[in-house]
Amino acid sequence: MSSVVPTLKLNNGYKIPAFGLGTYKPIEGVEESVKHAIDCNYRHIDTAYFYGNEIEIGNAVRAKIEEKGINREDMFIVSKLWSIFHEPDKVEYGCRMSLNKLNLEYIDLYLIHFPVSLAYVSDTELWPSDEKGIISDSVSFSIRDDIDVLDTYKAMEKLVEKGIVRSIGVSNFNIEQITRILEGCTIKPVVNQIEFSPGVNQKKLIEFCKDHDIVVVAYTPLGRPNLQTKTPDFIFDESVIAIGNKYKKTSAQVALRYLTQCGAIPIPRSQSKERIQENISIFDFELTPAEMTVLDQFQKDRSDFIDVQKLKEFSTQY
Ligand SMILES: NC(=O)c1ccc[n+]([C@@H]2O[C@H](COP(=O)([O-])OP(=O)(O)OC[C@H]3O[C@@H](n4cnc5c(N)ncnc54)[C@H](OP(=O)(O)O)[C@@H]3O)[C@@H](O)[C@H]2O)c1
């Protein structure tokens, strides 16, 4: 059964499907998952240089375009510039690496993956380290704080001018960091991709993005459910399960629906055929304001880590 997914209009006129497939981090099996997702009507696929799976994603997308006669314009492929390519002279190089792996003529949306720059050592050293780079006992990598991420962004704008990227945006940027981009850019970011689930309070940042016509894409939208530890709480909570029962939906579907009603685009990852279909089947019911309030109650403040701390956390979790 295929699902009808609405689109949202970006501030540059392009449309983005309001639901996508996350692909971090498996490489094995990801080509099959993406193909199955396209069969289930997913048209928005999220990847990144950092994920190391762009070849498999590109293979799946090109195969399905051919097999199903889908227009390339109807697919929406997202990739991200990793932090080792932030030096303005390296931005096009980083982008072309992704483009070549995807084997596509253009990327629909290209994001700065993280607002922190790392030293470039080689294309494959994603967490480069040296003595100066030690920032804690357990995590060591070389931060390049001499690179201004606004300059990185300006180099991203050139990719749009060259036609190899249709839209540009950011990921993991807070209000202050987006404000700097808005003050210095020529092409506004269309998207900020951030961690957002019923368990993570991003209300202020989402409000800010809305005010500036920037679409929020919600990563880790299910909080990576774990059956053993029964986390996150909103997936296993009786009140959420009861809301789901009312609509014949699972708590995961209720959570994803909640995010769309908050105005965000969820990009859950799954490698299970059933759950790929389950996750996208959320556009045939609507949560009431009272049910939205039930979900709101799981929100915990996670806001405003300073950049390096957030990156440190990211490097150990992702
Ligand atoms: N921009 C960034 O910095 C950033 C950071 C993190 C993630 N992302 C993107 O966001 C995507 C999603 O985030 P995520 O992968 O971290 O977390 P997630 O989507 O919240 O969770 C993925 C996990 O949930 C399970 N799952 C999927 N659907 C389910 C369902 N209906 N019921 C129960 N379990 C379900 C999956 O297992 P099965 O495969 O077994 O279904 C998988 O283990 C990533 O894949 C990536 O594309 C971006």
Side-chain angles (χ1 to χ4, degrees), residues 31-41 43 58-72 75 273:
E31 198 168 319
E32 282 316 303
S33 308
V34 172
K35 283 181 178 169
H36 179 68
I38 295 172
D39 286 340
C40 295
N41 241 9
R43 293 292 178 267
N59 287 345
V61 170
R62 283 180 286 100
K64 282 291 166 186
I65 284 178
E66 191 166 326
E67 181 193 314
K68 297 175 83 90
I70 299 171
N71 287 329
R72 169 66 184 90
M75 292 300 304
K273 286 197 166 182

Side-chain angles (χ1 to χ4, degrees), residues 22-24 46 51 80 113 171-172 193 219-225 252 267-272 275 278-279 314 318:
T23 66
Y24 186 67
D46 182 74
Y51 301 172
K80 313 185 191 85
H113 202 149
S171 178
N172 296 298
Q193 186 182 118
Y219 79 65
T220 317
L222 296 172
R224 299 185 170 176
I267 50 165
R269 169 178 73 85
S270 180
Q271 289 216 281
S272 135
R275 287 189 285 277
E278 172 189 328
N279 291 344
F314 186 87
Y318 291 92

Side-chain angles (χ1 to χ4, degrees), residues 2 5 9-10 24 32 34 67 94 143-145 150 168 194 196 202 224 227 231 238 253 256-257 259 261 279 302:
S2 64
V5 177
K9 203 164 177 187
L10 298 170
Y24 186 67
E32 282 316 303
V34 172
E67 181 193 314
I143 304 275
R144 283 277 312 266
D145 46 20
L150 178 59
I168 51 175
I194 53 171
F196 181 39
Q202 293 282 18
R224 299 185 170 176
L227 272 174
T231 53
E238 290 302 327
Q253 289 171 310
L256 295 168
R257 179 69 209 181
L259 298 176
Q261 289 184 216
N279 291 344
R302 279 277 312 271

Side-chain angles (χ1 to χ4, degrees), residues 189-205:
V190 297
V191 154
N192 187 19
Q193 186 182 118
I194 53 171
E195 181 173 359
F196 181 39
S197 70
V200 177
N201 182 2
Q202 293 282 18
K203 288 227 151 108
K204 257 168 46 191
L205 182 52

